[in-house]
Amino acid sequence: MGTESKKLGHDDSSGFEFAREMLAGDVTAGINFDRIMKNPEEGYQIIEYLLCDENQPKVTPYTSHPRYYWNKNKNKFLALWRTKTDFDAALFLVNYAKKGTAHENEVLLIEVLDMDETGILKEKQTRFTRSGFSRWFRDKNSQCLSDTDGILRDIYDKKSLEELGRIVLAKGKHQGESLRDIWSRAEGKSYLRFYQQQRNYEYHTAVECFVKKQEAQ
């Protein structure tokens, strides 16, 4: 579990303000993601929150849809879809209202399944109450929690055997030696198999991935 993760606090708007200052009035090429997380089995998941304005009483989370304001904001949704395809992710849009307003208990989840320049072509909708969505959201969040080892394993798995082999150990009996050089000796192979099991050793996940790739050859 993600015991090293912290609880969610208030959003820091200073980054947005800093980016706006640095752009000095230029049109931005980026979009702000509300949430992106990785499920170990299902892959990346992008969640974008769409607030229903309480000043439009006829529009509720259950009835609002990007198709009604597509021409005003299509670049945002197309950019989200492009990122979804790049990451091979799931894309969820969440219609909601502020707590304490008339429609606070309506939450509409839209899983976008296809999109082009004209709008959303295929989707799956689920209506939730506020508490019902909270249960769905907490379940999704818990599935995506990862400890440091899990994150590092994903990172090192994507490195080539050659890249991993260049890593140099900073401590221990083979201090100053690269993984490639250590592995070249019979004693070194035994040592690295031992090393990968030591969860408090620096680079133990890198060694684990290196040994796995070597043994797969």
Side-chain angles (χ1 to χ4, degrees):
M1 295 295 291
T3 54
E4 298 175 32
S5 298
K6 63 180 181 179
K7 292 183 178 179
L8 187 65
H10 294 294
D11 287 342
D12 181 5
S13 60
S14 61
F16 174 79
E17 294 299 330
F18 178 71
R20 185 164 65 175
E21 176 193 346
M22 293 300 100
L23 285 172
D26 293 348
V27 175
T28 182
I31 58 170
N32 293 321
F33 285 99
D34 284 326
R35 189 176 189 88
I36 184 168
M37 54 191 182
K38 186 177 184 182
N39 184 297
E41 295 183 0
E42 300 173 4
Y44 282 101
Q45 299 173 344
I46 300 169
I47 299 178
E48 183 70 13
Y49 307 122
L50 305 176
L51 176 64
C52 290
D53 192 343
E54 58 190 291
N55 294 322
Q56 294 179 292
K58 293 184 179 180
V59 178
T60 77
Y62 284 168
T63 62
S64 182
H65 193 279
R67 73 171 68 92
Y68 300 128
Y69 50 93
W70 180 258
N71 288 334
K72 293 182 179 179
N73 218 5
K74 68 177 180 181
N75 280 357
K76 173 182 178 178
F77 293 114
L78 289 172
L80 282 168
W81 185 252
R82 178 176 62 182
T83 306
K84 172 254 189 294
T85 57
D86 286 346
F87 277 77
D88 192 22
L91 174 59
F92 297 99
L93 307 178
V94 181
N95 286 352
Y96 75 102
K98 289 182 180 178
K99 193 171 180 62
T101 60
H103 303 291
E104 67 172 2
N105 209 32
E106 293 186 10
V107 180
L108 180 65
L109 178 71
I110 304 172
E111 181 177 3
V112 183
L113 304 175
D114 196 12
M115 181 189 296
D116 67 12
E117 63 191 273
T118 65
I120 296 173
L121 302 177
K122 188 177 180 182
E123 65 190 77
K124 178 182 177 182
Q125 290 192 10
T126 306
R127 290 188 174 192
F128 288 100
T129 62
R130 203 174 191 89
S131 61
F133 179 77
S134 176
R135 288 191 293 272
W136 179 90
F137 186 61
R138 292 180 68 190
D139 182 55
K140 283 288 186 184
N141 183 71
S142 67
Q143 293 171 14
C144 296
L145 287 174
S146 180
D147 59 12
T148 303
D149 281 358
I151 297 171
L152 289 173
R153 195 170 289 113
D154 281 349
I155 292 171
Y156 290 127
D157 267 342
K158 290 179 173 61
K159 288 186 177 291
S160 68
L161 182 58
E162 182 180 352
E163 289 174 312
L164 291 169
R166 290 197 294 266
I167 292 175
V168 175
L169 298 184
K171 296 180 181 178
K173 63 184 292 186
H174 289 284
Q175 177 181 347
E177 295 184 58
S178 70
L179 300 187
R180 179 188 57 228
D181 290 341
I182 299 170
W183 185 261
S184 67
R185 304 186 297 274
E187 178 274 333
K189 290 182 176 67
S190 298
Y191 178 75
L192 290 181
R193 291 190 181 101
F194 157 80
Y195 194 102
Q196 69 180 341
Q197 304 297 329
Q198 311 311 305
R199 298 306 179 199
N200 60 331
Y201 284 18
E202 184 179 60
Y203 282 130
H204 73 267
T205 51
V207 172
E208 175 187 326
C209 294
F210 174 77
V211 170
K212 182 178 71 173
K213 289 176 183 288
Q214 283 284 6
E215 294 180 337
Q217 286 191 320

